[in-house]
Amino acid sequence: MSSIATSMQAWQVTELGEPTDVMRQVEIAVPEPGPGQVLIEVWSSGLNFGDVLLTRGHYQERPPIPFTPGLEMCGLVVAVGPGISPHAVGERVIGTVALPHGALARYAVAQAADAKVKCSGVNSCKGSSECKTAKTSCKGQNSCKGQGWVSKAS
């Protein structure tokens, strides 16, 4: 990771609780991708209720404290871990992160299988919310159909 900075700004959860009470902007070391992982320069991050649950300690995954939340992102692969082709470097991707290295930072780590190559025509902000937020919305929309909450035209 010679051309990548050694430290970065990140929002970290320093104890469990409400996001406004327990998140701090800090300077931390840039994480290195492990086996099967990629390091992504984060361009945008989707925020959703799962991130709130993470900070409260109520999400199904409970990373060790301190951790960086931000479950989904869009960005550029800048480094790869062992077992990943170096050809992945330079690919624009959307995906979910490998906690504790979430997307509310300059760089995030993801399992290579969870970082999907993004179409060049997709807006970075829209792309960052297509992993979890969009799936949750679609599931909610489908479960609400027929109950008068979502129109059939949607």
Side-chain angles (χ1 to χ4, degrees):
M1 298 191 335
S2 59
S3 64
I4 299 168
T6 57
S7 66
M8 65 178 180
Q9 291 285 306
W11 283 97
Q12 286 209 312
V13 173
T14 56
E15 62 183 299
L16 298 179
E18 292 303 310
T20 55
D21 297 331
V22 300
M23 289 180 60
R24 305 284 181 265
Q25 189 174 17
V26 296
E27 185 82 14
I28 61 172
V30 173
E32 292 197 29
Q37 295 181 328
V38 293
L39 179 67
I40 298 165
E41 178 183 36
V42 177
W43 292 348
S44 64
S45 174
L47 293 174
N48 60 65
F49 190 56
D51 293 298
V52 173
L53 293 176
L54 261 176
T55 67
R56 293 176 180 166
H58 298 151
Y59 195 66
Q60 59 261 32
E61 194 172 342
R62 293 180 178 89
I65 295 174
F67 65 87
T68 301
L71 295 171
E72 54 191 347
M73 53 69 216
C74 177
L76 184 74
V77 175
V78 294
V80 298
I84 302 301
S85 169
H87 295 295
V89 172
E91 289 183 345
R92 295 176 62 186
V93 295
I94 61 173
T96 55
V97 301
L99 294 171
H101 306 295
L104 294 185
R106 184 68 181 140
Y107 297 96
V109 172
Q111 296 298 325
D114 294 334
K116 307 298 181 200
V117 175
K118 184 174 97 55
C119 300
S120 60
V122 175
N123 174 287
S124 294
C125 293
K126 181 182 174 194
S128 65
S129 63
E130 289 182 348
C131 299
K132 289 193 180 290
T133 305
K135 287 178 187 173
T136 301
S137 298
C138 288
K139 182 168 177 41
Q141 183 178 10
N142 288 334
S143 64
C144 295
K145 282 187 179 178
Q147 298 180 27
W149 298 336
V150 177
S151 71
K152 293 182 189 223
S154 61

